[in-house]
Amino acid sequence: AKPVKLSEYRVADHVVKTVHLDIVLHPTATRVTAVLAVEPHPQGIAGAPLVFDGDGLTLAAIAIDGRTPAPEAYEATADRLVIHNPPAGPFRLTLETVVDPQANTQLMGLYRSSGTWCTQCEAEGFRRITYFPDRPDVLAVYTTRIEAEKKAAPVLLGNGNLVEAGDLPHGRHYAVWHDPHPKPSYLFALVGGDLAEVSDTFTTRSGRVVKLGIFVEHGKEDRCAYAMDALKRSMRWDEEAFGCEYDLDVFNIVAVSDFNMGAMENKGLNIFNDKYVLALPDTATDQDYAAIEAIIAHEYFHNWTGNRITCRDWFQLCLKEGLTVFRDQEFSGDMRSRAVKRIADVRLLKSHQFAEDAGPLSHPVRPEIYHEINNFYTATVYEKGAEIIRALKVLIGAEAFRRGMDLYLVRHDGDAATVEDFIACFAEASGRDLTQFFLWYRQSGTPQVAVATRHDPVAGTFTVDLKQTHLPTPGQDVKQPMVLPLAFGLIGPDGAERPLFTEDGKAVPGVIALDAAQKSVTFSGHPTRPVLSINRGFSAPIVLKTDLTAADLGFLARHDGDAYNRWQAIQTLATDHLVAASRKGAALAGGVDILADALAAVLADAGRDPAFAAQALTLPSESDIARELGAEVDPDAIHAARRALRLAIRSRLDGTLSDALSRFATPGPYSPDAAAAGRRALCNVALDLWASGGEADRLATVAARHRDADNMTDRFAALAVLAQHPGADREAALEAFRERYRADALILDKWLALQAAIPEAATLDRVKALLADPAFAMTNPNRLRALVGSFASGNQTQFNRPDGAGYAFLAEVVIATDPRNPQVAARLLSAFRSWRGLEAGRRTLARAALERVAATATLSADVRDIVARSLG
Ligand code: HT7
Ligand code: ZN
């Protein structure tokens, strides 16, 4: 199929103003009658035929202003409806289609999840329900009547407010929902099923009482309290932080167990992967609680950034996703430790987005061409999209940023907007020309910044020389210098922050805007050499190389006033060691003592913020090191280097680690709050390190902690430690865990994922055996991600086995999954995104596996796109 290009955007020739849907739910033959108020677009082509999208549809009936057109007046295929000579003015178009939700394994459009009818329309799922101009710039007011057998679906939900409901003969009933806010078709949703409701209310700042509902499988009602609490906190926070108030009388969330992504922000009716709703201390880890809080907030925040202001076209996806991620990050930062949240976000950014941007799937935050939009729900659009907004805030300052946001929310309310519209608001609010800043949206790849410093003790000056470079990425060989806001500080030998003055004595702000290929900045008043702390808070999403020595990094780890950079200094020490050790062997790589001393200092001070200490003690991952190496990567060498470093650190910190286990034990019953979670995080990181040698007595202690834990966080953390060490303890603990949670699919996902990540040669056979386990179901995206996704993305040594069997396995699973669920298959396949950086033997085998996928006769557009770009 032809690619879609941003440069070819033009308005729809026909738009729809109102939509009346009558949907009669049936497992295999759901009847959809759509009555659409259609009119020609004033800027469209006059007299153009009407062309609506479809996907796998059959037209059962059609009428124009109540009359059936002649057969030659229109053409309806599975993927298109064309009316050759539509009326020149507004008209009423009635369409009837019949769809089969039970057979819908793609989970796009109307489908069934454990008997519940539900929808997923973003990005192009509405066209699988009825013919429609299924594009985000066609905004209509929807009224939806849903009818079903009452026993099968006592709950009938739609967008907006409930306006009517009642019983019908023969055990049937109906509900009518009306959403007064014009919206694009991707925000349409309905749900019908036998679900339990947990309800509450929220009163907005202007006094609107909103009825809140969370709908889940019967018996799971007691797992919704945290999600409900997170929702209410999100609603309040959005009023306070961004002035955004909720605008309907109802806000419903439905949790389903078959879902392609995390959740969906349908207007007034969010549909969630149940993984991101359900939580009890015995079923969910602290990380699960934090993810629920963030995703509930994210989807809620879309009500303004995404729904009230939507995207003109799918190229503008970052307009809603990047901005909403930024908003949910800020929310979590306010709810929890800001520094720890920032560190966690940067870890995620580097591991996913930097990796994506360094490989064949690299693309700009605002792409200019796509073959399959589903493949652009990426770390680049989401996470880098959020980073750009954070960088903008650093560049123009918090006050101008807030003015820009306010302007955007007022000026574009009700619009289908572009990234240009968004940035124009900040240019206006700050009085700055943001033309160069816009390159962040257009240029792909991670900017590289080299920093060198010069100190002149006689003149008392300290000079920072900065240089930015940009590596070529697919379709972009040559790039322009960008504007990189680098927050920084200078720290004196006493550990105190030094005042910042230029050579001529003017005070300077703590941000350097690096807006040229090279720039030098000289500071005065430094008879002794200060240590530079730069890119504080990770103010710009760049790869930074400095001339800081190991001693400087050890100093920053102790004294930097910026907590993020204290953590970064430790990470850099560890990374430098691991990169060298992966290349030359541990014996030749230095820096361990300085790193261990820095970690000892962190542990000594861990009472201040245990969650921070946990982050500091977590070494860079094997894939982080692979990314740093960039070429000729040998995952076995990385694994060996990381293991050796962990043992070396342990031998230096051993007593302190066991002290930490008792010092930071959490008293009292489990609570998911950030402070308690931070203590558990520290204990569990310490436990992992303490037991890293696999000594029998220590593993017995870990096994006891596993058995005796009163919450999932500690139970699972201990199991994860045991999983690293082969033997009877491990197998017994895995079996006991499985027995205990036999009936709980979400918990067994953890069990699947843990086994898939074991770094041992037998793991591939274990994973293959688990494919046949009753806990696994090939048809459920969560199960596939847990088992196969964790193996491919979370097990560097075994996915990258030197015999290529890991690659061949993934290729097989992708080929088998593709006919059923192309979106999930394409996502699994993107685990090959770094294959070009591998050493020659593995590279050849990875290419062969990709070529095997490429040679498969009937590939979906999703998988074809990923495989073509990966090999391209
Ligand atoms: N906006 C939502 C994206 C999404 C999605 C996209 C494609 C296919 C299925 C999907 N489910 C959800 C979720 C979000 O980012 O908020
Ligand atoms: Zn989103």
XYZ file of all heavy atoms in Angstrom, residues 728-805:
600
model
N 17.445 -26.411 43.527
C 16.152 -26.899 44.016
C 15.333 -25.781 44.653
O 14.108 -25.727 44.499
C 16.380 -28.013 45.024
N 16.007 -24.854 45.351
C 15.277 -23.747 45.988
C 14.476 -22.972 44.956
O 13.327 -22.603 45.174
C 16.276 -22.770 46.640
C 16.620 -23.191 48.059
O 15.974 -24.144 48.542
O 17.528 -22.576 48.646
N 15.140 -22.697 43.854
C 14.466 -21.917 42.809
C 13.241 -22.653 42.284
O 12.150 -22.073 42.211
C 15.447 -21.663 41.659
C 14.749 -21.111 40.431
C 15.731 -20.631 39.401
N 16.149 -21.680 38.481
C 17.123 -21.503 37.590
N 17.809 -20.383 37.550
N 17.439 -22.467 36.764
N 13.435 -23.921 41.920
C 12.324 -24.645 41.296
C 11.170 -24.787 42.284
O 10.003 -24.655 41.912
C 12.786 -26.004 40.755
C 13.908 -25.909 39.704
C 13.625 -24.921 38.565
O 12.460 -24.822 38.119
O 14.574 -24.216 38.136
N 11.506 -25.030 43.554
C 10.448 -25.192 44.561
C 9.686 -23.881 44.743
O 8.453 -23.863 44.818
C 11.055 -25.637 45.884
N 10.420 -22.779 44.773
C 9.757 -21.480 44.965
C 8.883 -21.140 43.760
O 7.761 -20.642 43.917
C 10.809 -20.399 45.198
N 9.385 -21.440 42.576
C 8.584 -21.155 41.368
C 7.298 -21.977 41.390
O 6.214 -21.482 41.063
C 9.393 -21.465 40.098
C 10.451 -20.426 39.713
C 11.381 -20.954 38.620
C 9.793 -19.114 39.244
N 7.421 -23.226 41.782
C 6.248 -24.104 41.817
C 5.243 -23.622 42.868
O 4.036 -23.586 42.625
C 6.722 -25.545 42.106
C 5.707 -26.620 41.765
C 4.951 -26.400 40.461
O 5.575 -26.026 39.447
O 3.708 -26.558 40.472
N 5.769 -23.236 44.032
C 4.872 -22.778 45.104
C 4.139 -21.508 44.673
O 2.940 -21.342 44.932
C 5.680 -22.513 46.369
N 4.849 -20.637 43.998
C 4.244 -19.378 43.533
C 3.114 -19.693 42.549
O 2.018 -19.166 42.622
C 5.329 -18.523 42.864
C 4.899 -17.118 42.555
C 5.056 -16.113 43.494
C 4.351 -16.793 41.317
C 4.678 -14.800 43.201
C 3.970 -15.487 41.021
C 4.137 -14.497 41.970
N 3.419 -20.601 41.651
C 2.424 -20.963 40.642
C 1.173 -21.562 41.282
O 0.046 -21.224 40.908
C 3.060 -21.982 39.697
C 2.257 -22.207 38.467
C 2.036 -23.678 38.249
N 0.808 -23.851 37.509
C 0.703 -23.712 36.202
N 1.743 -23.455 35.487
N -0.455 -23.846 35.608
N 1.385 -22.430 42.267
C 0.254 -23.062 42.943
C -0.597 -22.024 43.667
O -1.807 -22.014 43.585
C 0.764 -24.067 43.982
C 0.849 -25.481 43.476
C -0.360 -25.860 42.627
O -1.503 -25.931 43.163
O -0.150 -26.064 41.420
N 0.104 -21.117 44.353
C -0.596 -20.114 45.146
C -1.478 -19.209 44.286
O -2.555 -18.790 44.700
C 0.460 -19.273 45.868
C -0.108 -18.192 46.719
C 0.979 -17.504 47.507
N 0.359 -16.520 48.353
C 0.756 -16.199 49.559
N 1.802 -16.786 50.076
N 0.113 -15.289 50.257
N -1.005 -18.909 43.073
C -1.744 -17.961 42.229
C -2.344 -18.636 40.996
O -2.545 -17.989 39.966
C -0.817 -16.807 41.825
C -0.336 -16.032 43.031
C 0.982 -16.096 43.445
C -1.236 -15.260 43.775
C 1.417 -15.401 44.568
C -0.807 -14.561 44.896
C 0.520 -14.636 45.284
O 0.945 -13.948 46.395
N -2.601 -19.909 41.131
C -3.086 -20.727 40.019
C -4.209 -20.056 39.230
O -4.249 -20.116 38.004
C -3.563 -22.065 40.624
C -4.232 -23.037 39.721
C -4.199 -24.423 40.312
N -2.894 -25.066 40.192
C -2.402 -25.552 39.061
N -3.098 -25.472 37.946
N -1.218 -26.115 39.026
N -5.141 -19.372 39.941
C -6.327 -18.853 39.271
C -6.174 -17.395 38.848
O -7.140 -16.779 38.402
C -7.521 -18.993 40.213
N -4.987 -16.841 39.000
C -4.857 -15.401 38.765
C -3.903 -15.099 37.609
O -2.682 -15.023 37.779
C -4.364 -14.737 40.052
C -4.825 -13.302 40.123
O -4.761 -12.624 39.080
O -5.260 -12.872 41.200
N -4.496 -14.906 36.442
C -3.680 -14.777 35.222
C -2.683 -13.622 35.303
O -1.528 -13.752 34.873
C -4.603 -14.599 34.020
N -3.103 -12.502 35.876
C -2.197 -11.345 35.913
C -0.960 -11.641 36.749
O 0.145 -11.192 36.444
C -2.904 -10.119 36.499
C -3.856 -9.359 35.578
C -4.452 -8.175 36.317
C -3.148 -8.902 34.311
N -1.153 -12.402 37.822
C 0.001 -12.722 38.675
C 0.870 -13.774 37.992
O 2.107 -13.702 38.044
C -0.452 -13.167 40.076
C -1.316 -12.068 40.698
C 0.753 -13.471 40.955
C -1.834 -12.376 42.070
N 0.214 -14.705 37.314
C 1.023 -15.712 36.610
C 1.832 -15.074 35.466
O 2.849 -15.627 35.051
C 0.149 -16.862 36.128
C -0.380 -17.752 37.271
C -1.193 -18.921 36.729
C 0.748 -18.288 38.170
N 1.400 -13.927 34.981
C 2.232 -13.206 33.996
C 3.602 -12.875 34.592
O 4.623 -12.912 33.900
C 1.557 -11.896 33.556
C 0.453 -12.138 32.536
O 0.371 -13.258 31.994
O -0.317 -11.192 32.282
N 3.625 -12.536 35.854
C 4.911 -12.228 36.507
C 5.784 -13.480 36.536
O 6.993 -13.423 36.340
C 4.694 -11.742 37.949
C 3.883 -10.482 38.089
C 3.756 -10.126 39.566
C 2.760 -9.024 39.796
N 3.042 -7.813 39.017
N 5.119 -14.577 36.816
C 5.799 -15.878 36.902
C 6.367 -16.266 35.521
O 7.497 -16.737 35.412
C 4.753 -16.876 37.410
C 5.140 -18.296 37.540
C 5.857 -18.867 38.550
C 4.782 -19.358 36.645
N 5.964 -20.220 38.334
C 5.311 -20.551 37.184
C 4.058 -19.416 35.454
C 5.144 -21.790 36.557
C 3.888 -20.640 34.835
C 4.434 -21.812 35.382
N 5.589 -16.025 34.484
C 6.070 -16.309 33.119
C 7.259 -15.417 32.786
O 8.291 -15.869 32.277
C 4.948 -16.065 32.095
C 3.731 -17.002 32.139
C 2.618 -16.483 31.227
C 4.127 -18.426 31.718
N 7.099 -14.121 33.080
C 8.136 -13.139 32.703
C 9.450 -13.434 33.421
O 10.534 -13.333 32.834
C 7.649 -11.731 33.026
N 9.329 -13.814 34.669
C 10.538 -14.073 35.463
C 11.330 -15.243 34.880
O 12.562 -15.172 34.744
C 10.111 -14.394 36.899
C 11.206 -14.426 37.933
C 11.906 -13.077 37.987
C 10.614 -14.744 39.299
N 10.622 -16.289 34.513
C 11.316 -17.460 33.971
C 11.929 -17.156 32.609
O 13.014 -17.632 32.285
C 10.352 -18.633 33.870
C 9.884 -19.090 35.237
C 8.893 -20.220 35.132
O 9.268 -21.366 34.954
N 7.618 -19.884 35.224
N 11.215 -16.339 31.826
C 11.731 -16.004 30.490
C 13.010 -15.182 30.574
O 13.790 -15.126 29.627
C 10.662 -15.237 29.710
N 13.236 -14.537 31.717
C 14.399 -13.640 31.835
C 15.614 -14.319 32.479
O 16.649 -13.684 32.667
C 14.000 -12.411 32.638
N 15.502 -15.609 32.800
C 16.645 -16.288 33.442
C 17.817 -16.366 32.455
O 17.658 -16.884 31.342
C 16.230 -17.711 33.918
C 15.171 -17.604 35.018
C 17.453 -18.489 34.404
C 14.595 -18.940 35.466
N 18.981 -15.872 32.855
C 20.091 -15.838 31.897
C 20.863 -17.157 31.818
O 22.038 -17.220 32.149
C 20.973 -14.706 32.462
C 20.716 -14.728 33.929
C 19.321 -15.232 34.130
N 20.170 -18.202 31.408
C 20.815 -19.521 31.325
C 20.454 -20.175 30.001
O 19.361 -19.942 29.476
C 20.291 -20.426 32.447
C 20.810 -20.075 33.815
C 20.018 -20.788 34.912
O 19.323 -21.778 34.626
O 20.095 -20.310 36.058
N 21.334 -21.070 29.549
C 21.132 -21.703 28.243
C 19.831 -22.515 28.185
O 19.255 -22.694 27.113
C 22.320 -22.594 27.915
N 19.366 -23.005 29.336
C 18.150 -23.835 29.323
C 16.872 -23.004 29.206
O 15.775 -23.557 29.089
C 18.104 -24.676 30.602
N 17.015 -21.690 29.236
C 15.799 -20.858 29.292
C 14.941 -20.971 28.030
O 13.714 -21.001 28.117
C 16.186 -19.394 29.568
O 16.722 -19.337 30.879
C 14.992 -18.461 29.501
N 15.575 -21.054 26.879
C 14.762 -21.136 25.659
C 13.854 -22.368 25.711
O 12.663 -22.283 25.374
C 15.663 -21.134 24.411
C 14.916 -21.198 23.078
C 13.892 -20.077 22.941
C 15.898 -21.160 21.912
N 14.397 -23.495 26.164
C 13.553 -24.701 26.267
C 12.457 -24.509 27.311
O 11.330 -24.945 27.142
C 14.409 -25.919 26.644
C 15.241 -26.377 25.453
O 14.860 -26.043 24.308
O 16.271 -27.040 25.669
N 12.810 -23.820 28.382
C 11.811 -23.536 29.413
C 10.679 -22.686 28.821
O 9.496 -22.958 29.033
C 12.476 -22.795 30.577
C 11.618 -22.642 31.819
C 12.247 -21.702 32.812
N 13.279 -22.261 33.654
C 13.093 -22.718 34.903
N 11.904 -22.682 35.445
N 14.107 -23.180 35.608
N 11.060 -21.667 28.062
C 10.050 -20.788 27.455
C 9.180 -21.572 26.477
O 7.949 -21.449 26.475
C 10.735 -19.581 26.758
C 9.750 -18.793 25.909
C 11.381 -18.669 27.798
N 9.815 -22.422 25.692
C 9.029 -23.217 24.730
C 8.063 -24.131 25.469
O 6.914 -24.297 25.049
C 9.968 -24.033 23.838
C 10.680 -23.165 22.800
C 11.571 -24.008 21.908
C 12.246 -23.136 20.851
N 13.305 -23.855 20.123
N 8.521 -24.703 26.579
C 7.628 -25.580 27.358
C 6.468 -24.765 27.942
O 5.324 -25.230 27.983
C 8.412 -26.268 28.469
N 6.771 -23.540 28.361
C 5.714 -22.708 28.956
C 4.646 -22.313 27.931
O 3.522 -21.985 28.304
C 6.325 -21.461 29.611
C 7.047 -21.724 30.938
C 7.880 -20.517 31.365
C 6.047 -22.086 32.040
N 4.998 -22.340 26.651
C 3.977 -22.037 25.628
C 2.798 -23.011 25.738
O 1.672 -22.677 25.379
C 4.567 -22.158 24.219
C 5.583 -21.111 23.757
C 6.082 -21.443 22.366
C 4.967 -19.704 23.756
N 3.102 -24.211 26.242
C 2.043 -25.221 26.351
C 1.412 -25.250 27.742
O 0.530 -26.062 28.018
C 2.625 -26.593 26.024
N 1.880 -24.389 28.627
C 1.360 -24.381 30.005
C -0.040 -23.743 30.021
O -0.287 -22.777 29.304
C 2.310 -23.544 30.880
C 2.025 -23.718 32.357
O 0.992 -23.201 32.829
O 2.842 -24.383 33.025
N -0.937 -24.281 30.848
C -2.286 -23.678 30.913
C -2.262 -22.201 31.334
O -3.203 -21.463 31.041
C -3.002 -24.515 31.968
C -2.187 -25.734 32.154
C -0.810 -25.491 31.665
N -1.182 -21.773 31.986
C -1.111 -20.354 32.373
C -0.883 -19.451 31.168
O -1.055 -18.239 31.251
C 0.025 -20.141 33.375
N -0.484 -20.044 30.055
C -0.175 -19.235 28.874
C -1.290 -19.358 27.848
O -1.892 -20.417 27.691
C 1.152 -19.707 28.251
C 1.527 -18.909 27.038
C 2.084 -17.651 27.183
C 1.280 -19.394 25.769
C 2.404 -16.891 26.061
C 1.591 -18.635 24.647
C 2.153 -17.387 24.799
N -1.592 -18.259 27.165
C -2.545 -18.304 26.054
C -1.999 -17.405 24.962
O -1.782 -16.219 25.185
C -3.915 -17.831 26.505
N -1.770 -18.001 23.821
C -1.203 -17.280 22.677
C -2.098 -16.116 22.243
O -1.641 -15.147 21.641
C -1.089 -18.301 21.540
C -0.169 -17.921 20.458
S 1.541 -18.260 20.969
C 2.377 -17.905 19.445
N -3.400 -16.211 22.558
C -4.353 -15.211 22.069
C -4.408 -13.975 22.960
O -5.025 -12.994 22.593
C -5.769 -15.822 22.046
O -5.977 -16.449 23.310
C -5.907 -16.838 20.942
N -3.793 -14.038 24.131
C -3.900 -12.895 25.037
C -2.615 -12.057 25.002
O -1.527 -12.554 25.280
C -4.165 -13.396 26.472
C -4.266 -12.235 27.441
O -3.262 -11.639 27.825
N -5.485 -11.888 27.800
N -2.724 -10.757 24.672
C -1.521 -9.928 24.547
C -0.681 -9.864 25.824
O 0.547 -9.853 25.751
C -2.071 -8.542 24.186
C -3.386 -8.812 23.545
C -3.936 -10.030 24.227
N -1.339 -9.824 26.980
C -0.552 -9.770 28.230
C 0.302 -11.023 28.400
O 1.462 -10.944 28.831
C -1.464 -9.617 29.449
C -2.035 -8.212 29.571
O -1.741 -7.347 28.750
N -2.848 -7.991 30.583
N -0.288 -12.184 28.065
C 0.473 -13.432 28.223
C 1.664 -13.433 27.251
O 2.771 -13.796 27.609
C -0.373 -14.667 27.897
C -1.660 -15.019 28.654
C -1.632 -15.101 30.107
N -1.823 -13.838 30.761
C -3.022 -13.236 31.002
N -4.147 -13.785 30.618
N -3.070 -12.077 31.637
N 1.398 -13.026 26.009
C 2.476 -13.019 24.995
C 3.596 -12.075 25.398
O 4.776 -12.388 25.272
C 1.902 -12.554 23.652
C 1.506 -13.638 22.673
C 0.808 -13.022 21.477
C 2.724 -14.436 22.198
N 3.203 -10.898 25.874
C 4.237 -9.927 26.282
C 5.023 -10.465 27.473
O 6.235 -10.304 27.550
C 3.605 -8.578 26.634
C 3.226 -7.748 25.411
C 2.740 -6.361 25.808
N 1.409 -6.388 26.363
C 0.311 -6.018 25.706
N 0.401 -5.558 24.477
N -0.869 -6.065 26.273
N 4.294 -11.124 28.406
C 4.971 -11.614 29.609
C 6.006 -12.678 29.251
O 7.144 -12.622 29.713
C 3.948 -12.172 30.598
N 5.613 -13.624 28.427
C 6.535 -14.733 28.163
C 7.504 -14.397 27.016
O 8.722 -14.370 27.200
C 5.732 -16.005 27.837
C 6.578 -17.266 27.651
C 7.323 -17.626 28.935
C 5.706 -18.463 27.218
N 6.953 -14.110 25.858
C 7.822 -13.929 24.690
C 8.472 -12.546 24.706
O 9.664 -12.401 24.403
C 7.007 -14.146 23.390
C 7.908 -14.013 22.175
C 6.331 -15.514 23.425
N 7.709 -11.528 25.084
C 8.271 -10.168 25.158
C 9.405 -10.094 26.174
O 10.452 -9.512 25.899
N 9.224 -10.723 27.329
C 10.298 -10.666 28.341
C 11.525 -11.425 27.870
O 12.652 -11.019 28.147
C 9.852 -11.274 29.668
O 8.706 -10.654 30.095
N 11.310 -12.527 27.182
C 12.460 -13.275 26.666
C 13.226 -12.423 25.639
O 14.442 -12.278 25.715
C 11.970 -14.585 26.019
C 13.066 -15.345 25.342
C 14.006 -16.039 26.102
C 13.188 -15.362 23.965
C 15.044 -16.734 25.479
C 14.220 -16.045 23.338
C 15.151 -16.731 24.103
N 12.490 -11.832 24.696
C 13.161 -11.127 23.595
C 13.749 -9.787 24.039
O 14.803 -9.375 23.556
C 12.179 -10.927 22.448
N 13.049 -9.098 24.940
C 13.529 -7.755 25.309
C 14.227 -7.718 26.665
O 14.935 -6.766 26.957
C 12.366 -6.768 25.337
O 11.753 -6.739 24.074
N 14.022 -8.748 27.491
C 14.571 -8.683 28.844
C 15.628 -9.735 29.135
O 16.083 -9.847 30.266
N 16.000 -10.495 28.133
C 17.004 -11.533 28.364
C 18.064 -11.441 27.267
O 18.003 -12.134 26.239
C 16.338 -12.918 28.371
C 17.268 -13.986 28.910
O 18.490 -13.829 28.882
N 16.696 -15.071 29.403
N 19.023 -10.567 27.505
C 20.026 -10.268 26.477
C 20.820 -11.497 26.051
O 21.042 -11.713 24.871
C 20.990 -9.196 26.999
C 20.373 -7.810 27.067
C 20.059 -7.272 25.684
O 20.934 -7.142 24.851
N 18.799 -6.990 25.440
N 21.258 -12.293 27.030
C 22.141 -13.404 26.637
C 21.374 -14.510 25.921
O 21.911 -15.127 24.993
C 22.868 -14.019 27.857
O 21.889 -14.438 28.814
C 23.827 -13.023 28.490
N 20.132 -14.757 26.322
C 19.438 -15.904 25.742
C 18.704 -15.563 24.459
O 18.631 -16.386 23.554
C 18.513 -16.550 26.779
C 19.276 -17.029 27.997
C 20.567 -17.767 27.624
O 20.542 -18.751 26.883
N 21.710 -17.287 28.109
N 18.150 -14.379 24.354
C 17.585 -13.988 23.061
C 18.719 -13.942 22.030
O 18.567 -14.413 20.898
C 16.889 -12.621 23.170
C 16.404 -12.097 21.835
C 15.562 -12.851 21.040
C 16.800 -10.842 21.382
C 15.120 -12.381 19.800
C 16.360 -10.362 20.154
C 15.522 -11.132 19.358
N 19.871 -13.409 22.470
C 21.020 -13.306 21.569
C 21.950 -14.519 21.703
O 23.172 -14.363 21.725
C 21.802 -12.027 21.886
C 20.993 -10.778 21.597
O 20.597 -10.530 20.471
N 20.722 -9.987 22.630
N 21.369 -15.690 21.827
C 22.211 -16.897 21.900
C 23.113 -16.952 20.671
O 22.676 -16.650 19.560
C 21.306 -18.135 21.884
C 20.642 -18.465 23.193
C 19.515 -19.444 22.947
N 20.001 -20.680 22.343
C 19.882 -21.882 22.900
N 19.290 -22.011 24.086
N 20.322 -22.944 22.293
N 24.360 -17.410 20.854
C 25.265 -17.422 19.698
C 24.826 -18.373 18.592
O 25.251 -18.214 17.442
C 26.608 -17.867 20.293
C 26.395 -18.130 21.738
C 25.012 -17.747 22.129
N 23.934 -19.343 18.916
C 23.485 -20.251 17.844
C 22.260 -19.722 17.095
O 21.749 -20.370 16.180
C 23.178 -21.641 18.423
C 22.018 -21.602 19.431
O 21.458 -20.514 19.687
O 21.666 -22.677 19.970
N 21.774 -18.547 17.481
C 20.651 -17.938 16.746
C 19.292 -18.541 17.086
O 18.272 -18.134 16.520
N 19.224 -19.480 18.035
C 17.940 -20.138 18.327
C 16.932 -19.169 18.953
O 15.720 -19.331 18.775
C 18.168 -21.330 19.245
